[in-house]
Amino acid sequence: MTALPDALAAKVGKIVGQLANDNPHVVTTAVAMLRRTLSSNGCDLNDLAVHITEKPREVVVYRERQAKPEPRPFDYGSWRQTWSGCDPRRQHKARVDVLQADRSGFLTDWEFAFVRSLGRQLAEGRRVSPKQVTILNDLHARYVERYG
């Protein structure tokens, strides 16, 4: 008696599944097919019985679930600090304030008038166009590059 090779065990497993059929003709055919398959590989039903009873079964290991982290208590004051940096209007206003406070003559007359007009626009709550944002960002970047 020998243990069944894995390929043969897979074939036999498919055939054994047909033994649960309600049709007696299918069951008889499955038994004949099972004996033929085993004998063509040098085995018999006794080898199948040994394989079923003695082969160690695959063990399924269930891992413990990880504990869910405790929810952090909500800090009612921290959300303002978190979201204050995300408001683009506040960022634009801060850049306008920095550029308006400059007295070194860094800005040309047109640029100074633009920054002052943009400051009024932000103070009134009006929207800033993408082109105005681009110009403001360029002016601020040049100012930071020069004066740090």
mmCIF file of all heavy atoms in Angstrom, residues 125-145:
data_model
loop_
_atom_site.group_PDB
_atom_site.id
_atom_site.type_symbol
_atom_site.label_atom_id
_atom_site.label_comp_id
_atom_site.label_asym_id
_atom_site.label_seq_id
_atom_site.Cartn_x
_atom_site.Cartn_y
_atom_site.Cartn_z
ATOM 1 N N GLY A 125 -15.056 90.232 0.858
ATOM 2 C CA GLY A 125 -15.559 88.870 0.726
ATOM 3 C C GLY A 125 -15.795 88.432 -0.704
ATOM 4 O O GLY A 125 -16.472 87.437 -0.937
ATOM 5 N N ARG A 126 -15.240 89.150 -1.659
ATOM 6 C CA ARG A 126 -15.428 88.759 -3.053
ATOM 7 C C ARG A 126 -14.433 87.673 -3.439
ATOM 8 O O ARG A 126 -13.387 87.517 -2.811
ATOM 9 C CB ARG A 126 -15.264 89.981 -3.971
ATOM 10 C CG ARG A 126 -16.362 91.013 -3.752
ATOM 11 C CD ARG A 126 -16.302 92.118 -4.742
ATOM 12 N NE ARG A 126 -14.961 92.706 -4.751
ATOM 13 C CZ ARG A 126 -14.620 93.782 -5.445
ATOM 14 N NH1 ARG A 126 -15.501 94.370 -6.188
ATOM 15 N NH2 ARG A 126 -13.399 94.251 -5.395
ATOM 16 N N ARG A 127 -14.749 86.970 -4.501
ATOM 17 C CA ARG A 127 -13.890 85.880 -4.967
ATOM 18 C C ARG A 127 -12.670 86.426 -5.684
ATOM 19 O O ARG A 127 -12.703 87.500 -6.269
ATOM 20 C CB ARG A 127 -14.661 84.982 -5.918
ATOM 21 C CG ARG A 127 -15.825 84.305 -5.205
ATOM 22 C CD ARG A 127 -16.438 83.265 -6.041
ATOM 23 N NE ARG A 127 -15.405 82.262 -6.276
ATOM 24 C CZ ARG A 127 -15.585 81.179 -7.014
ATOM 25 N NH1 ARG A 127 -16.733 80.973 -7.590
ATOM 26 N NH2 ARG A 127 -14.629 80.311 -7.183
ATOM 27 N N VAL A 128 -11.610 85.644 -5.642
ATOM 28 C CA VAL A 128 -10.363 86.002 -6.314
ATOM 29 C C VAL A 128 -10.227 85.086 -7.520
ATOM 30 O O VAL A 128 -10.422 83.872 -7.423
ATOM 31 C CB VAL A 128 -9.170 85.802 -5.351
ATOM 32 C CG1 VAL A 128 -7.874 86.167 -6.014
ATOM 33 C CG2 VAL A 128 -9.372 86.602 -4.085
ATOM 34 N N SER A 129 -9.872 85.662 -8.673
ATOM 35 C CA SER A 129 -9.760 84.849 -9.884
ATOM 36 C C SER A 129 -8.455 84.048 -9.866
ATOM 37 O O SER A 129 -7.496 84.410 -9.168
ATOM 38 C CB SER A 129 -9.795 85.749 -11.123
ATOM 39 O OG SER A 129 -8.584 86.463 -11.240
ATOM 40 N N PRO A 130 -8.400 82.976 -10.642
ATOM 41 C CA PRO A 130 -7.171 82.184 -10.697
ATOM 42 C C PRO A 130 -5.966 82.995 -11.188
ATOM 43 O O PRO A 130 -4.844 82.793 -10.727
ATOM 44 C CB PRO A 130 -7.497 81.056 -11.671
ATOM 45 C CG PRO A 130 -8.976 80.928 -11.628
ATOM 46 C CD PRO A 130 -9.485 82.315 -11.368
ATOM 47 N N LYS A 131 -6.201 83.916 -12.101
ATOM 48 C CA LYS A 131 -5.094 84.749 -12.599
ATOM 49 C C LYS A 131 -4.577 85.665 -11.491
ATOM 50 O O LYS A 131 -3.363 85.865 -11.345
ATOM 51 C CB LYS A 131 -5.551 85.558 -13.804
ATOM 52 C CG LYS A 131 -4.425 86.303 -14.478
ATOM 53 C CD LYS A 131 -4.867 86.918 -15.779
ATOM 54 C CE LYS A 131 -3.689 87.597 -16.452
ATOM 55 N NZ LYS A 131 -4.064 88.164 -17.742
ATOM 56 N N GLN A 132 -5.485 86.233 -10.698
ATOM 57 C CA GLN A 132 -5.064 87.072 -9.576
ATOM 58 C C GLN A 132 -4.267 86.260 -8.556
ATOM 59 O O GLN A 132 -3.279 86.745 -8.010
ATOM 60 C CB GLN A 132 -6.292 87.701 -8.904
ATOM 61 C CG GLN A 132 -6.953 88.775 -9.717
ATOM 62 C CD GLN A 132 -8.234 89.256 -9.075
ATOM 63 O OE1 GLN A 132 -9.012 88.455 -8.551
ATOM 64 N NE2 GLN A 132 -8.477 90.556 -9.133
ATOM 65 N N VAL A 133 -4.691 85.027 -8.319
ATOM 66 C CA VAL A 133 -3.966 84.159 -7.387
ATOM 67 C C VAL A 133 -2.564 83.880 -7.914
ATOM 68 O O VAL A 133 -1.588 83.914 -7.158
ATOM 69 C CB VAL A 133 -4.748 82.843 -7.157
ATOM 70 C CG1 VAL A 133 -3.916 81.836 -6.372
ATOM 71 C CG2 VAL A 133 -6.052 83.118 -6.450
ATOM 72 N N THR A 134 -2.446 83.647 -9.205
ATOM 73 C CA THR A 134 -1.137 83.370 -9.800
ATOM 74 C C THR A 134 -0.217 84.568 -9.644
ATOM 75 O O THR A 134 0.952 84.428 -9.252
ATOM 76 C CB THR A 134 -1.302 83.017 -11.287
ATOM 77 O OG1 THR A 134 -2.167 81.887 -11.407
ATOM 78 C CG2 THR A 134 0.040 82.692 -11.922
ATOM 79 N N ILE A 135 -0.729 85.758 -9.927
ATOM 80 C CA ILE A 135 0.088 86.968 -9.805
ATOM 81 C C ILE A 135 0.491 87.195 -8.350
ATOM 82 O O ILE A 135 1.655 87.499 -8.048
ATOM 83 C CB ILE A 135 -0.668 88.194 -10.371
ATOM 84 C CG1 ILE A 135 -0.868 88.037 -11.878
ATOM 85 C CG2 ILE A 135 0.070 89.490 -10.059
ATOM 86 C CD1 ILE A 135 -1.800 89.056 -12.494
ATOM 87 N N LEU A 136 -0.457 87.013 -7.428
ATOM 88 C CA LEU A 136 -0.162 87.190 -6.007
ATOM 89 C C LEU A 136 0.894 86.187 -5.541
ATOM 90 O O LEU A 136 1.840 86.566 -4.832
ATOM 91 C CB LEU A 136 -1.438 87.025 -5.179
ATOM 92 C CG LEU A 136 -1.265 87.096 -3.661
ATOM 93 C CD1 LEU A 136 -0.774 88.479 -3.243
ATOM 94 C CD2 LEU A 136 -2.562 86.749 -2.976
ATOM 95 N N ASN A 137 0.776 84.943 -5.951
ATOM 96 C CA ASN A 137 1.755 83.930 -5.558
ATOM 97 C C ASN A 137 3.137 84.245 -6.124
ATOM 98 O O ASN A 137 4.148 84.050 -5.447
ATOM 99 C CB ASN A 137 1.305 82.534 -5.997
ATOM 100 C CG ASN A 137 0.122 82.030 -5.198
ATOM 101 O OD1 ASN A 137 -0.156 82.507 -4.104
ATOM 102 N ND2 ASN A 137 -0.586 81.059 -5.754
ATOM 103 N N ASP A 138 3.192 84.728 -7.373
ATOM 104 C CA ASP A 138 4.484 85.094 -7.964
ATOM 105 C C ASP A 138 5.120 86.260 -7.218
ATOM 106 O O ASP A 138 6.325 86.238 -6.926
ATOM 107 C CB ASP A 138 4.316 85.452 -9.444
ATOM 108 C CG ASP A 138 3.986 84.241 -10.302
ATOM 109 O OD1 ASP A 138 4.207 83.102 -9.834
ATOM 110 O OD2 ASP A 138 3.503 84.436 -11.437
ATOM 111 N N LEU A 139 4.309 87.271 -6.893
ATOM 112 C CA LEU A 139 4.840 88.420 -6.157
ATOM 113 C C LEU A 139 5.353 87.992 -4.783
ATOM 114 O O LEU A 139 6.440 88.397 -4.354
ATOM 115 C CB LEU A 139 3.756 89.497 -5.992
ATOM 116 C CG LEU A 139 3.347 90.267 -7.236
ATOM 117 C CD1 LEU A 139 2.171 91.176 -6.930
ATOM 118 C CD2 LEU A 139 4.516 91.090 -7.747
ATOM 119 N N HIS A 140 4.587 87.175 -4.098
ATOM 120 C CA HIS A 140 4.982 86.724 -2.765
ATOM 121 C C HIS A 140 6.241 85.864 -2.831
ATOM 122 O O HIS A 140 7.128 85.990 -1.977
ATOM 123 C CB HIS A 140 3.831 85.963 -2.106
ATOM 124 C CG HIS A 140 4.103 85.617 -0.685
ATOM 125 N ND1 HIS A 140 4.569 84.388 -0.312
ATOM 126 C CD2 HIS A 140 3.989 86.337 0.458
ATOM 127 C CE1 HIS A 140 4.743 84.357 0.986
ATOM 128 N NE2 HIS A 140 4.389 85.534 1.489
ATOM 129 N N ALA A 141 6.334 84.989 -3.845
ATOM 130 C CA ALA A 141 7.518 84.140 -3.983
ATOM 131 C C ALA A 141 8.763 84.987 -4.244
ATOM 132 O O ALA A 141 9.828 84.727 -3.660
ATOM 133 C CB ALA A 141 7.308 83.130 -5.112
ATOM 134 N N ARG A 142 8.630 85.998 -5.090
ATOM 135 C CA ARG A 142 9.774 86.890 -5.343
ATOM 136 C C ARG A 142 10.169 87.641 -4.080
ATOM 137 O O ARG A 142 11.352 87.821 -3.786
ATOM 138 C CB ARG A 142 9.425 87.903 -6.437
ATOM 139 C CG ARG A 142 9.571 87.352 -7.822
ATOM 140 C CD ARG A 142 9.421 88.361 -8.948
ATOM 141 N NE ARG A 142 9.395 89.750 -8.572
ATOM 142 C CZ ARG A 142 8.457 90.626 -8.952
ATOM 143 N NH1 ARG A 142 7.463 90.219 -9.713
ATOM 144 N NH2 ARG A 142 8.505 91.880 -8.585
ATOM 145 N N TYR A 143 9.175 88.085 -3.316
ATOM 146 C CA TYR A 143 9.447 88.826 -2.080
ATOM 147 C C TYR A 143 10.158 87.933 -1.052
ATOM 148 O O TYR A 143 11.143 88.344 -0.436
ATOM 149 C CB TYR A 143 8.137 89.373 -1.492
ATOM 150 C CG TYR A 143 8.331 90.171 -0.224
ATOM 151 C CD1 TYR A 143 8.762 91.481 -0.294
ATOM 152 C CD2 TYR A 143 8.109 89.591 1.006
ATOM 153 C CE1 TYR A 143 8.950 92.230 0.875
ATOM 154 C CE2 TYR A 143 8.292 90.314 2.171
ATOM 155 C CZ TYR A 143 8.713 91.641 2.098
ATOM 156 O OH TYR A 143 8.920 92.357 3.235
ATOM 157 N N VAL A 144 9.677 86.697 -0.897
ATOM 158 C CA VAL A 144 10.269 85.770 0.060
ATOM 159 C C VAL A 144 11.688 85.406 -0.388
ATOM 160 O O VAL A 144 12.602 85.289 0.434
ATOM 161 C CB VAL A 144 9.394 84.510 0.221
ATOM 162 C CG1 VAL A 144 10.110 83.402 0.987
ATOM 163 C CG2 VAL A 144 8.089 84.866 0.903
ATOM 164 N N GLU A 145 11.877 85.258 -1.691
ATOM 165 C CA GLU A 145 13.211 84.921 -2.209
ATOM 166 C C GLU A 145 14.208 86.023 -1.926
ATOM 167 O O GLU A 145 15.365 85.772 -1.586
ATOM 168 C CB GLU A 145 13.109 84.663 -3.709
ATOM 169 C CG GLU A 145 14.414 84.243 -4.352
ATOM 170 C CD GLU A 145 14.222 84.004 -5.844
ATOM 171 O OE1 GLU A 145 13.311 83.267 -6.223
ATOM 172 O OE2 GLU A 145 15.028 84.578 -6.611
#
